[in-house]
Structure formats: structure tokens, C-alpha cells
Amino acid sequence: LKHDLTALRAELSKKAKTDDEYREASQVSQALEDLKKANGPSMLKRIRACGSWVLGVAKDIGVSIVVELMKNSMV
């Protein structure tokens, strides 16, 4: 999961153009920090707060764990 979030954060940083995209990228960065602190509930909350743009990027780069976490929250 750490590898997936790190890869997703890097890709989002490259692609973000709007304020909303930067906010969503920030949620992924904060989720990664929560993961490092072993704060799973907060990490999941941040991932679930991300929108369809982050989900699309996650699918594009193949970070399947993050995609599944996000899809489960969007149902």
C-alpha cells in the first residue's frame, strides 16, 4: 500500500492543474503520512475523500489496492 500511495502521489503531483486537483493530491499525501504513523482509520478516511480524478489516475497507473479502497467508498 505504501508503494502504491507513493506512486500515486508522484503521478498526481505531475498532473494536478486545478485547485481541486491539488487538494485531492494533498489528501493522498496526508494518507501516506497516516500510513507511516500506523493510523489506518485516518488513512482510509483521506483516501475515501478523494474524488473521481484521483480514482482515474490510480486506474491509469495500476495502483489496484488504492483503486479498490476508493471504489468501495464510492458505492
Side-chain angles (χ1 to χ4, degrees):
L1 185 55
K2 181 181 176 185
H3 178 268
D4 282 1
L5 285 174
T6 302
L8 180 57
R9 180 180 62 181
E11 192 66 21
L12 293 173
S13 295
K14 287 187 240 173
K15 292 186 175 198
K17 298 212 184 328
T18 68
D19 288 344
D20 286 341
E21 291 172 349
Y22 282 109
R23 269 191 289 280
E24 289 188 30
S26 174
Q27 287 294 317
V28 172
S29 291
Q30 291 172 341
L32 185 55
E33 289 303 311
D34 288 337
L35 180 65
K36 289 177 185 176
K37 294 176 185 173
N39 188 347
S42 182
M43 179 210 59
L44 289 172
K45 183 180 175 183
R46 292 183 191 283
I47 289 173
R48 291 176 178 146
C50 295
S52 59
W53 176 70
V54 173
L55 179 60
V57 173
K59 285 179 180 178
D60 288 347
I61 65 170
V63 288
S64 58
I65 294 171
V66 177
V67 169
E68 287 306 312
L69 289 172
M70 290 183 71
K71 283 179 17 182
N72 288 337
S73 70
M74 292 180 164
V75 174

Short mmCIF file of all heavy atoms in Angstrom, two decimals:
data_model
loop_
_atom_site.label_atom_id
_atom_site.label_comp_id
_atom_site.label_asym_id
_atom_site.label_seq_id
_atom_site.Cartn_x
_atom_site.Cartn_y
_atom_site.Cartn_z
N LEU A 1 0.83 -1.20 0.00
CA LEU A 1 0.00 0.00 0.00
C LEU A 1 0.87 1.25 0.00
O LEU A 1 0.58 2.20 -0.71
CB LEU A 1 -0.94 -0.03 1.20
CG LEU A 1 -1.95 1.11 1.28
CD1 LEU A 1 -2.80 1.21 0.03
CD2 LEU A 1 -2.83 0.92 2.51
N LYS A 2 1.96 1.20 0.77
CA LYS A 2 2.85 2.36 0.82
C LYS A 2 3.42 2.66 -0.57
O LYS A 2 3.46 3.82 -0.99
CB LYS A 2 3.99 2.11 1.82
CG LYS A 2 4.94 3.26 1.95
CD LYS A 2 6.06 2.96 2.93
CE LYS A 2 7.05 4.08 2.98
NZ LYS A 2 8.20 3.75 3.85
N HIS A 3 3.83 1.62 -1.27
CA HIS A 3 4.37 1.80 -2.62
C HIS A 3 3.32 2.40 -3.55
O HIS A 3 3.61 3.31 -4.33
CB HIS A 3 4.86 0.46 -3.16
CG HIS A 3 5.40 0.55 -4.54
ND1 HIS A 3 4.61 0.33 -5.66
CD2 HIS A 3 6.62 0.87 -5.01
CE1 HIS A 3 5.34 0.51 -6.75
NE2 HIS A 3 6.56 0.83 -6.39
N ASP A 4 2.09 1.88 -3.47
CA ASP A 4 1.00 2.38 -4.32
C ASP A 4 0.69 3.85 -4.04
O ASP A 4 0.53 4.64 -4.96
CB ASP A 4 -0.26 1.55 -4.14
CG ASP A 4 -0.21 0.22 -4.87
OD1 ASP A 4 0.82 -0.09 -5.51
OD2 ASP A 4 -1.21 -0.52 -4.79
N LEU A 5 0.61 4.20 -2.75
CA LEU A 5 0.31 5.59 -2.41
C LEU A 5 1.45 6.52 -2.83
O LEU A 5 1.21 7.64 -3.29
CB LEU A 5 0.05 5.73 -0.91
CG LEU A 5 -1.29 5.23 -0.42
CD1 LEU A 5 -1.36 5.29 1.10
CD2 LEU A 5 -2.43 6.03 -1.03
N THR A 6 2.68 6.06 -2.70
CA THR A 6 3.83 6.86 -3.12
C THR A 6 3.81 7.09 -4.63
O THR A 6 4.02 8.21 -5.10
CB THR A 6 5.15 6.19 -2.69
OG1 THR A 6 5.14 6.02 -1.27
CG2 THR A 6 6.35 7.02 -3.08
N ALA A 7 3.54 6.03 -5.38
CA ALA A 7 3.46 6.16 -6.84
C ALA A 7 2.31 7.07 -7.25
O ALA A 7 2.46 7.92 -8.14
CB ALA A 7 3.29 4.78 -7.48
N LEU A 8 1.17 6.92 -6.58
CA LEU A 8 0.01 7.75 -6.89
C LEU A 8 0.30 9.22 -6.57
O LEU A 8 -0.01 10.10 -7.37
CB LEU A 8 -1.21 7.26 -6.12
CG LEU A 8 -2.51 8.03 -6.35
CD1 LEU A 8 -2.90 8.04 -7.83
CD2 LEU A 8 -3.62 7.43 -5.50
N ARG A 9 0.91 9.47 -5.44
CA ARG A 9 1.25 10.85 -5.06
C ARG A 9 2.16 11.49 -6.10
O ARG A 9 1.96 12.64 -6.51
CB ARG A 9 1.91 10.89 -3.69
CG ARG A 9 2.28 12.30 -3.24
CD ARG A 9 2.93 12.31 -1.90
NE ARG A 9 4.17 11.55 -1.92
CZ ARG A 9 4.94 11.38 -0.87
NH1 ARG A 9 4.60 11.89 0.30
NH2 ARG A 9 6.06 10.71 -0.96
N ALA A 10 3.16 10.76 -6.56
CA ALA A 10 4.09 11.29 -7.56
C ALA A 10 3.37 11.62 -8.86
O ALA A 10 3.61 12.68 -9.46
CB ALA A 10 5.22 10.28 -7.81
N GLU A 11 2.49 10.74 -9.29
CA GLU A 11 1.75 10.97 -10.54
C GLU A 11 0.78 12.14 -10.41
O GLU A 11 0.65 12.96 -11.32
CB GLU A 11 1.02 9.69 -10.95
CG GLU A 11 0.48 9.72 -12.35
CD GLU A 11 1.55 9.77 -13.42
OE1 GLU A 11 2.72 9.41 -13.17
OE2 GLU A 11 1.21 10.19 -14.55
N LEU A 12 0.10 12.22 -9.28
CA LEU A 12 -0.83 13.34 -9.06
C LEU A 12 -0.09 14.67 -9.05
O LEU A 12 -0.60 15.66 -9.57
CB LEU A 12 -1.59 13.15 -7.74
CG LEU A 12 -2.56 11.97 -7.69
CD1 LEU A 12 -3.10 11.81 -6.27
CD2 LEU A 12 -3.70 12.14 -8.68
N SER A 13 1.09 14.68 -8.47
CA SER A 13 1.89 15.91 -8.43
C SER A 13 2.24 16.40 -9.83
O SER A 13 2.28 17.59 -10.08
CB SER A 13 3.18 15.68 -7.64
OG SER A 13 2.89 15.42 -6.29
N LYS A 14 2.48 15.44 -10.73
CA LYS A 14 2.80 15.80 -12.12
C LYS A 14 1.57 16.31 -12.88
O LYS A 14 1.69 17.17 -13.73
CB LYS A 14 3.36 14.58 -12.86
CG LYS A 14 4.74 14.18 -12.49
CD LYS A 14 5.22 13.08 -13.43
CE LYS A 14 5.55 11.84 -12.67
NZ LYS A 14 5.85 10.70 -13.51
N LYS A 15 0.40 15.73 -12.57
CA LYS A 15 -0.79 16.01 -13.38
C LYS A 15 -1.70 17.11 -12.84
O LYS A 15 -2.53 17.62 -13.58
CB LYS A 15 -1.61 14.73 -13.53
CG LYS A 15 -0.91 13.69 -14.36
CD LYS A 15 -1.79 12.49 -14.60
CE LYS A 15 -1.08 11.54 -15.55
NZ LYS A 15 -1.96 10.60 -16.16
N ALA A 16 -1.58 17.45 -11.57
CA ALA A 16 -2.50 18.42 -10.96
C ALA A 16 -2.38 19.78 -11.63
O ALA A 16 -1.29 20.28 -11.85
CB ALA A 16 -2.21 18.55 -9.47
N LYS A 17 -3.54 20.36 -11.96
CA LYS A 17 -3.56 21.66 -12.61
C LYS A 17 -4.53 22.63 -11.92
O LYS A 17 -4.32 23.82 -11.92
CB LYS A 17 -3.96 21.51 -14.07
CG LYS A 17 -2.97 20.65 -14.86
CD LYS A 17 -2.87 21.08 -16.27
CE LYS A 17 -1.98 20.23 -17.13
NZ LYS A 17 -0.85 19.59 -16.58
N THR A 18 -5.61 22.10 -11.34
CA THR A 18 -6.61 22.97 -10.72
C THR A 18 -6.48 22.92 -9.20
O THR A 18 -5.84 22.02 -8.64
CB THR A 18 -8.04 22.52 -11.10
OG1 THR A 18 -8.30 21.26 -10.48
CG2 THR A 18 -8.23 22.42 -12.61
N ASP A 19 -7.12 23.88 -8.54
CA ASP A 19 -7.10 23.89 -7.08
C ASP A 19 -7.69 22.61 -6.51
O ASP A 19 -7.17 22.05 -5.54
CB ASP A 19 -7.86 25.10 -6.54
CG ASP A 19 -7.13 26.41 -6.76
OD1 ASP A 19 -5.91 26.39 -7.04
OD2 ASP A 19 -7.78 27.47 -6.66
N ASP A 20 -8.78 22.14 -7.10
CA ASP A 20 -9.40 20.90 -6.62
C ASP A 20 -8.45 19.71 -6.77
O ASP A 20 -8.38 18.86 -5.88
CB ASP A 20 -10.70 20.61 -7.38
CG ASP A 20 -11.83 21.53 -6.97
OD1 ASP A 20 -11.75 22.14 -5.88
OD2 ASP A 20 -12.81 21.65 -7.74
N GLU A 21 -7.75 19.65 -7.87
CA GLU A 21 -6.80 18.56 -8.08
C GLU A 21 -5.66 18.63 -7.07
O GLU A 21 -5.23 17.59 -6.54
CB GLU A 21 -6.27 18.57 -9.51
CG GLU A 21 -7.33 18.19 -10.52
CD GLU A 21 -6.92 18.36 -11.96
OE1 GLU A 21 -5.87 18.99 -12.23
OE2 GLU A 21 -7.66 17.90 -12.84
N TYR A 22 -5.17 19.82 -6.78
CA TYR A 22 -4.12 19.95 -5.77
C TYR A 22 -4.63 19.54 -4.39
O TYR A 22 -3.91 18.91 -3.62
CB TYR A 22 -3.58 21.38 -5.73
CG TYR A 22 -2.61 21.67 -6.86
CD1 TYR A 22 -2.97 22.52 -7.89
CD2 TYR A 22 -1.34 21.09 -6.89
CE1 TYR A 22 -2.09 22.79 -8.94
CE2 TYR A 22 -0.45 21.34 -7.93
CZ TYR A 22 -0.84 22.20 -8.95
OH TYR A 22 0.03 22.45 -9.97
N ARG A 23 -5.89 19.87 -4.07
CA ARG A 23 -6.48 19.47 -2.78
C ARG A 23 -6.58 17.94 -2.68
O ARG A 23 -6.26 17.36 -1.65
CB ARG A 23 -7.87 20.08 -2.61
CG ARG A 23 -7.84 21.43 -1.92
CD ARG A 23 -9.25 21.87 -1.54
NE ARG A 23 -10.07 22.25 -2.69
CZ ARG A 23 -10.00 23.42 -3.30
NH1 ARG A 23 -9.17 24.35 -2.87
NH2 ARG A 23 -10.77 23.68 -4.33
N GLU A 24 -7.01 17.33 -3.76
CA GLU A 24 -7.11 15.86 -3.76
C GLU A 24 -5.73 15.21 -3.67
O GLU A 24 -5.56 14.21 -2.96
CB GLU A 24 -7.87 15.37 -4.98
CG GLU A 24 -9.34 15.70 -4.92
CD GLU A 24 -10.14 15.07 -6.04
OE1 GLU A 24 -9.75 13.98 -6.51
OE2 GLU A 24 -11.17 15.65 -6.41
N ALA A 25 -4.75 15.77 -4.35
CA ALA A 25 -3.38 15.25 -4.25
C ALA A 25 -2.87 15.38 -2.82
O ALA A 25 -2.17 14.50 -2.32
CB ALA A 25 -2.47 15.99 -5.23
N SER A 26 -3.25 16.46 -2.17
CA SER A 26 -2.86 16.66 -0.77
C SER A 26 -3.46 15.58 0.13
O SER A 26 -2.81 15.12 1.07
CB SER A 26 -3.31 18.05 -0.31
OG SER A 26 -3.07 18.21 1.06
N GLN A 27 -4.70 15.16 -0.16
CA GLN A 27 -5.32 14.09 0.62
C GLN A 27 -4.51 12.80 0.51
O GLN A 27 -4.36 12.07 1.49
CB GLN A 27 -6.76 13.85 0.15
CG GLN A 27 -7.74 14.91 0.55
CD GLN A 27 -7.95 14.96 2.05
OE1 GLN A 27 -8.08 13.94 2.73
NE2 GLN A 27 -7.98 16.17 2.58
N VAL A 28 -4.00 12.53 -0.68
CA VAL A 28 -3.18 11.32 -0.87
C VAL A 28 -1.88 11.44 -0.09
O VAL A 28 -1.45 10.49 0.57
CB VAL A 28 -2.92 11.06 -2.37
CG1 VAL A 28 -1.92 9.92 -2.57
CG2 VAL A 28 -4.23 10.76 -3.09
N SER A 29 -1.26 12.61 -0.10
CA SER A 29 -0.04 12.83 0.68
C SER A 29 -0.30 12.64 2.16
O SER A 29 0.48 12.00 2.87
CB SER A 29 0.52 14.24 0.44
OG SER A 29 1.02 14.37 -0.86
N GLN A 30 -1.41 13.18 2.62
CA GLN A 30 -1.75 13.03 4.03
C GLN A 30 -2.09 11.58 4.38
O GLN A 30 -1.76 11.11 5.47
CB GLN A 30 -2.90 13.98 4.39
CG GLN A 30 -2.46 15.42 4.36
CD GLN A 30 -3.61 16.40 4.52
OE1 GLN A 30 -4.77 16.06 4.33
NE2 GLN A 30 -3.27 17.63 4.89
N ALA A 31 -2.72 10.87 3.46
CA ALA A 31 -3.00 9.45 3.67
C ALA A 31 -1.70 8.66 3.81
O ALA A 31 -1.59 7.76 4.65
CB ALA A 31 -3.83 8.89 2.52
N LEU A 32 -0.71 9.01 3.02
CA LEU A 32 0.59 8.36 3.11
C LEU A 32 1.24 8.63 4.47
O LEU A 32 1.80 7.72 5.09
CB LEU A 32 1.50 8.82 1.97
CG LEU A 32 2.85 8.14 1.84
CD1 LEU A 32 2.72 6.64 1.74
CD2 LEU A 32 3.59 8.70 0.64
N GLU A 33 1.13 9.85 4.95
CA GLU A 33 1.66 10.18 6.28
C GLU A 33 0.93 9.39 7.36
O GLU A 33 1.55 8.90 8.30
CB GLU A 33 1.55 11.69 6.55
CG GLU A 33 2.52 12.51 5.71
CD GLU A 33 3.97 12.12 5.90
OE1 GLU A 33 4.42 11.99 7.06
OE2 GLU A 33 4.66 11.90 4.88
N ASP A 34 -0.39 9.28 7.23
CA ASP A 34 -1.17 8.50 8.19
C ASP A 34 -0.72 7.04 8.18
O ASP A 34 -0.63 6.40 9.24
CB ASP A 34 -2.66 8.58 7.89
CG ASP A 34 -3.26 9.94 8.22
OD1 ASP A 34 -2.69 10.66 9.06
OD2 ASP A 34 -4.30 10.27 7.62
N LEU A 35 -0.46 6.50 7.00
CA LEU A 35 0.00 5.12 6.88
C LEU A 35 1.34 4.95 7.61
O LEU A 35 1.53 3.98 8.34
CB LEU A 35 0.13 4.73 5.41
CG LEU A 35 0.60 3.31 5.12
CD1 LEU A 35 -0.42 2.29 5.63
CD2 LEU A 35 0.84 3.12 3.63
N LYS A 36 2.24 5.90 7.43
CA LYS A 36 3.55 5.83 8.10
C LYS A 36 3.39 5.87 9.62
O LYS A 36 4.19 5.28 10.34
CB LYS A 36 4.44 6.99 7.65
CG LYS A 36 4.92 6.87 6.21
CD LYS A 36 5.72 8.08 5.81
CE LYS A 36 6.11 8.05 4.35
NZ LYS A 36 6.82 9.28 3.94
N LYS A 37 2.35 6.54 10.11
CA LYS A 37 2.10 6.64 11.55
C LYS A 37 1.21 5.50 12.05
O LYS A 37 0.80 5.51 13.20
CB LYS A 37 1.42 7.98 11.86
CG LYS A 37 2.30 9.18 11.59
CD LYS A 37 1.52 10.46 11.83
CE LYS A 37 2.34 11.67 11.44
NZ LYS A 37 1.54 12.90 11.51
N ALA A 38 0.90 4.55 11.19
CA ALA A 38 0.04 3.42 11.51
C ALA A 38 -1.35 3.86 11.95
O ALA A 38 -1.96 3.26 12.83
CB ALA A 38 0.69 2.53 12.57
N ASN A 39 -1.85 4.93 11.34
CA ASN A 39 -3.19 5.43 11.63
C ASN A 39 -4.11 5.03 10.47
O ASN A 39 -4.47 5.84 9.62
CB ASN A 39 -3.16 6.94 11.82
CG ASN A 39 -4.47 7.50 12.31
OD1 ASN A 39 -5.49 6.81 12.30
ND2 ASN A 39 -4.45 8.74 12.74
N GLY A 40 -4.48 3.76 10.45
CA GLY A 40 -5.29 3.22 9.36
C GLY A 40 -6.63 3.90 9.15
O GLY A 40 -6.99 4.21 8.02
N PRO A 41 -7.39 4.15 10.23
CA PRO A 41 -8.69 4.80 10.03
C PRO A 41 -8.60 6.17 9.37
O PRO A 41 -9.39 6.49 8.48
CB PRO A 41 -9.26 4.91 11.45
CG PRO A 41 -8.60 3.78 12.20
CD PRO A 41 -7.22 3.71 11.61
N SER A 42 -7.63 6.96 9.77
CA SER A 42 -7.46 8.28 9.17
C SER A 42 -7.00 8.16 7.72
O SER A 42 -7.45 8.90 6.85
CB SER A 42 -6.46 9.11 9.97
OG SER A 42 -6.32 10.40 9.41
N MET A 43 -6.12 7.19 7.45
CA MET A 43 -5.64 6.98 6.08
C MET A 43 -6.82 6.62 5.17
O MET A 43 -6.97 7.18 4.09
CB MET A 43 -4.60 5.87 6.05
CG MET A 43 -4.08 5.60 4.65
SD MET A 43 -3.56 3.90 4.37
CE MET A 43 -5.02 2.96 4.70
N LEU A 44 -7.67 5.71 5.63
CA LEU A 44 -8.83 5.31 4.83
C LEU A 44 -9.78 6.47 4.61
O LEU A 44 -10.32 6.65 3.50
CB LEU A 44 -9.57 4.14 5.48
CG LEU A 44 -8.85 2.81 5.43
CD1 LEU A 44 -9.59 1.79 6.28
CD2 LEU A 44 -8.69 2.32 4.01
N LYS A 45 -9.99 7.27 5.62
CA LYS A 45 -10.86 8.44 5.51
C LYS A 45 -10.35 9.40 4.44
O LYS A 45 -11.11 9.92 3.63
CB LYS A 45 -10.95 9.15 6.86
CG LYS A 45 -11.88 10.33 6.86
CD LYS A 45 -11.91 10.96 8.25
CE LYS A 45 -12.76 12.22 8.24
NZ LYS A 45 -12.75 12.89 9.53
N ARG A 46 -9.04 9.62 4.42
CA ARG A 46 -8.45 10.53 3.43
C ARG A 46 -8.56 9.96 2.01
O ARG A 46 -8.87 10.68 1.07
CB ARG A 46 -7.00 10.83 3.77
CG ARG A 46 -6.88 11.65 5.03
CD ARG A 46 -5.44 12.00 5.30
NE ARG A 46 -5.25 12.55 6.61
CZ ARG A 46 -5.56 13.79 6.97
NH1 ARG A 46 -6.12 14.61 6.11
NH2 ARG A 46 -5.31 14.21 8.20
N ILE A 47 -8.31 8.67 1.87
CA ILE A 47 -8.42 8.04 0.55
C ILE A 47 -9.86 8.14 0.04
O ILE A 47 -10.12 8.45 -1.11
CB ILE A 47 -7.94 6.58 0.58
CG1 ILE A 47 -6.42 6.56 0.73
CG2 ILE A 47 -8.35 5.83 -0.68
CD1 ILE A 47 -5.84 5.19 0.95
N ARG A 48 -10.79 7.89 0.95
CA ARG A 48 -12.21 7.94 0.57
C ARG A 48 -12.68 9.35 0.26
O ARG A 48 -13.69 9.53 -0.42
CB ARG A 48 -13.05 7.31 1.67
CG ARG A 48 -12.82 5.82 1.75
CD ARG A 48 -13.57 5.18 2.87
NE ARG A 48 -13.34 3.74 2.85
CZ ARG A 48 -13.27 3.00 3.93
NH1 ARG A 48 -13.45 3.52 5.12
NH2 ARG A 48 -13.05 1.71 3.81
N ALA A 49 -11.95 10.34 0.74
CA ALA A 49 -12.31 11.74 0.47
C ALA A 49 -11.88 12.19 -0.93
O ALA A 49 -12.31 13.23 -1.41
CB ALA A 49 -11.68 12.67 1.53
N CYS A 50 -11.04 11.40 -1.57
CA CYS A 50 -10.59 11.74 -2.92
C CYS A 50 -11.70 11.47 -3.93
O CYS A 50 -12.52 10.58 -3.74
CB CYS A 50 -9.36 10.93 -3.28
SG CYS A 50 -7.92 11.29 -2.26
N GLY A 51 -11.68 12.22 -4.99
CA GLY A 51 -12.74 12.11 -5.99
C GLY A 51 -12.37 11.29 -7.19
O GLY A 51 -11.37 10.57 -7.22
N SER A 52 -13.17 11.45 -8.22
CA SER A 52 -13.03 10.64 -9.43
C SER A 52 -11.73 10.92 -10.18
O SER A 52 -11.21 10.04 -10.86
CB SER A 52 -14.23 10.86 -10.35
OG SER A 52 -14.35 12.21 -10.71
N TRP A 53 -11.19 12.13 -10.05
CA TRP A 53 -9.92 12.43 -10.73
C TRP A 53 -8.81 11.53 -10.19
O TRP A 53 -8.06 10.92 -10.95
CB TRP A 53 -9.56 13.91 -10.56
CG TRP A 53 -8.23 14.25 -11.16
CD1 TRP A 53 -7.92 14.29 -12.48
CD2 TRP A 53 -7.02 14.58 -10.46
NE1 TRP A 53 -6.59 14.63 -12.66
CE2 TRP A 53 -6.02 14.81 -11.43
CE3 TRP A 53 -6.69 14.71 -9.12
CZ2 TRP A 53 -4.72 15.15 -11.08
CZ3 TRP A 53 -5.39 15.05 -8.78
CH2 TRP A 53 -4.42 15.28 -9.76
N VAL A 54 -8.73 11.42 -8.86
CA VAL A 54 -7.70 10.57 -8.25
C VAL A 54 -7.95 9.10 -8.61
O VAL A 54 -7.01 8.38 -8.93
CB VAL A 54 -7.66 10.76 -6.72
CG1 VAL A 54 -6.72 9.75 -6.07
CG2 VAL A 54 -7.22 12.17 -6.36
N LEU A 55 -9.20 8.69 -8.60
CA LEU A 55 -9.53 7.32 -8.98
C LEU A 55 -9.08 7.03 -10.41
O LEU A 55 -8.49 5.99 -10.68
CB LEU A 55 -11.04 7.07 -8.84
CG LEU A 55 -11.53 5.68 -9.22
CD1 LEU A 55 -10.88 4.60 -8.35
CD2 LEU A 55 -13.04 5.61 -9.10
N GLY A 56 -9.31 7.97 -11.32
CA GLY A 56 -8.89 7.79 -12.71
C GLY A 56 -7.38 7.67 -12.85
O GLY A 56 -6.88 6.81 -13.57
N VAL A 57 -6.66 8.51 -12.14
CA VAL A 57 -5.19 8.45 -12.19
C VAL A 57 -4.71 7.14 -11.59
O VAL A 57 -3.81 6.49 -12.13
CB VAL A 57 -4.55 9.67 -11.48
CG1 VAL A 57 -3.03 9.52 -11.40
CG2 VAL A 57 -4.92 10.97 -12.19
N ALA A 58 -5.31 6.73 -10.48
CA ALA A 58 -4.93 5.46 -9.84
C ALA A 58 -5.14 4.29 -10.79
O ALA A 58 -4.29 3.39 -10.89
CB ALA A 58 -5.72 5.27 -8.55
N LYS A 59 -6.26 4.29 -11.51
CA LYS A 59 -6.52 3.23 -12.50
C LYS A 59 -5.49 3.28 -13.62
O LYS A 59 -4.99 2.24 -14.05
CB LYS A 59 -7.91 3.38 -13.09
CG LYS A 59 -9.02 2.96 -12.16
CD LYS A 59 -10.37 3.16 -12.84
CE LYS A 59 -11.52 2.74 -11.96
NZ LYS A 59 -12.82 3.00 -12.61
N ASP A 60 -5.18 4.50 -14.10
CA ASP A 60 -4.24 4.66 -15.21
C ASP A 60 -2.86 4.10 -14.89
O ASP A 60 -2.20 3.54 -15.76
CB ASP A 60 -4.09 6.13 -15.60
CG ASP A 60 -5.31 6.68 -16.31
OD1 ASP A 60 -6.17 5.88 -16.74
OD2 ASP A 60 -5.40 7.92 -16.44
N ILE A 61 -2.41 4.28 -13.64
CA ILE A 61 -1.05 3.84 -13.30
C ILE A 61 -1.04 2.46 -12.65
O ILE A 61 0.02 1.94 -12.32
CB ILE A 61 -0.30 4.86 -12.42
CG1 ILE A 61 -0.96 5.02 -11.05
CG2 ILE A 61 -0.17 6.20 -13.15
CD1 ILE A 61 -0.12 5.85 -10.08
N GLY A 62 -2.23 1.86 -12.46
CA GLY A 62 -2.31 0.48 -11.99
C GLY A 62 -2.07 0.27 -10.50
O GLY A 62 -1.51 -0.76 -10.12
N VAL A 63 -2.47 1.22 -9.67
CA VAL A 63 -2.34 1.02 -8.23
C VAL A 63 -3.64 0.41 -7.70
O VAL A 63 -4.49 1.08 -7.14
CB VAL A 63 -1.92 2.31 -7.48
CG1 VAL A 63 -0.48 2.67 -7.77
CG2 VAL A 63 -2.81 3.49 -7.83
N SER A 64 -3.76 -0.88 -7.90
CA SER A 64 -5.03 -1.58 -7.69
C SER A 64 -5.54 -1.54 -6.26
O SER A 64 -6.76 -1.50 -6.04
CB SER A 64 -4.91 -3.02 -8.17
OG SER A 64 -3.86 -3.67 -7.49
N ILE A 65 -4.67 -1.57 -5.28
CA ILE A 65 -5.13 -1.53 -3.90
C ILE A 65 -5.85 -0.22 -3.62
O ILE A 65 -6.94 -0.21 -3.05
CB ILE A 65 -3.95 -1.71 -2.91
CG1 ILE A 65 -3.36 -3.11 -3.06
CG2 ILE A 65 -4.39 -1.47 -1.48
CD1 ILE A 65 -2.08 -3.33 -2.30
N VAL A 66 -5.28 0.89 -4.05
CA VAL A 66 -5.90 2.19 -3.84
C VAL A 66 -7.21 2.28 -4.62
O VAL A 66 -8.21 2.79 -4.12
CB VAL A 66 -4.94 3.34 -4.23
CG1 VAL A 66 -5.61 4.68 -4.08
CG2 VAL A 66 -3.67 3.28 -3.39
N VAL A 67 -7.23 1.76 -5.83
CA VAL A 67 -8.45 1.77 -6.65
C VAL A 67 -9.56 1.03 -5.91
O VAL A 67 -10.68 1.53 -5.81
CB VAL A 67 -8.20 1.13 -8.04
CG1 VAL A 67 -9.50 0.89 -8.77
CG2 VAL A 67 -7.27 2.02 -8.86
N GLU A 68 -9.27 -0.13 -5.36
CA GLU A 68 -10.28 -0.92 -4.67
C GLU A 68 -10.78 -0.19 -3.42
O GLU A 68 -11.97 -0.18 -3.13
CB GLU A 68 -9.76 -2.31 -4.30
CG GLU A 68 -9.65 -3.22 -5.49
CD GLU A 68 -10.94 -3.34 -6.30
OE1 GLU A 68 -12.01 -3.56 -5.71
OE2 GLU A 68 -10.87 -3.22 -7.54
N LEU A 69 -9.89 0.43 -2.66
CA LEU A 69 -10.30 1.20 -1.48
C LEU A 69 -11.21 2.35 -1.86
O LEU A 69 -12.21 2.61 -1.20
CB LEU A 69 -9.06 1.73 -0.74
CG LEU A 69 -8.22 0.71 0.00
CD1 LEU A 69 -6.94 1.36 0.52
CD2 LEU A 69 -8.98 0.08 1.14
N MET A 70 -10.88 3.02 -2.95
CA MET A 70 -11.69 4.15 -3.39
C MET A 70 -13.03 3.68 -3.94
O MET A 70 -14.06 4.27 -3.65
CB MET A 70 -10.94 4.98 -4.43
CG MET A 70 -9.77 5.74 -3.84
SD MET A 70 -8.99 6.78 -5.07
CE MET A 70 -10.25 8.04 -5.25
N LYS A 71 -13.03 2.62 -4.74
CA LYS A 71 -14.28 2.13 -5.33
C LYS A 71 -15.25 1.69 -4.24
O LYS A 71 -16.44 1.94 -4.33
CB LYS A 71 -14.00 0.99 -6.30
CG LYS A 71 -13.47 1.48 -7.62
CD LYS A 71 -13.14 0.44 -8.64
CE LYS A 71 -13.64 -0.94 -8.53
NZ LYS A 71 -13.18 -1.84 -9.58
N ASN A 72 -14.74 1.03 -3.21
CA ASN A 72 -15.60 0.57 -2.12
C ASN A 72 -16.26 1.74 -1.41
O ASN A 72 -17.36 1.61 -0.91
CB ASN A 72 -14.81 -0.27 -1.13
CG ASN A 72 -14.46 -1.62 -1.69
OD1 ASN A 72 -15.11 -2.12 -2.60
ND2 ASN A 72 -13.41 -2.21 -1.16
N SER A 73 -15.61 2.87 -1.37
CA SER A 73 -16.18 4.04 -0.68
C SER A 73 -17.15 4.81 -1.57
O SER A 73 -17.95 5.60 -1.09
CB SER A 73 -15.08 4.96 -0.18
OG SER A 73 -14.43 5.59 -1.26
N MET A 74 -17.11 4.61 -2.87
CA MET A 74 -17.95 5.36 -3.80
C MET A 74 -19.25 4.63 -4.11
O MET A 74 -20.09 5.14 -4.81
CB MET A 74 -17.19 5.64 -5.10
CG MET A 74 -16.05 6.59 -4.91
SD MET A 74 -15.19 6.88 -6.46
CE MET A 74 -14.27 8.34 -6.06
N VAL A 75 -19.41 3.44 -3.60
CA VAL A 75 -20.62 2.65 -3.87
C VAL A 75 -21.80 3.18 -3.08
O VAL A 75 -21.75 3.71 -2.07
CB VAL A 75 -20.38 1.16 -3.52
CG1 VAL A 75 -21.65 0.36 -3.64
CG2 VAL A 75 -19.30 0.60 -4.39
#
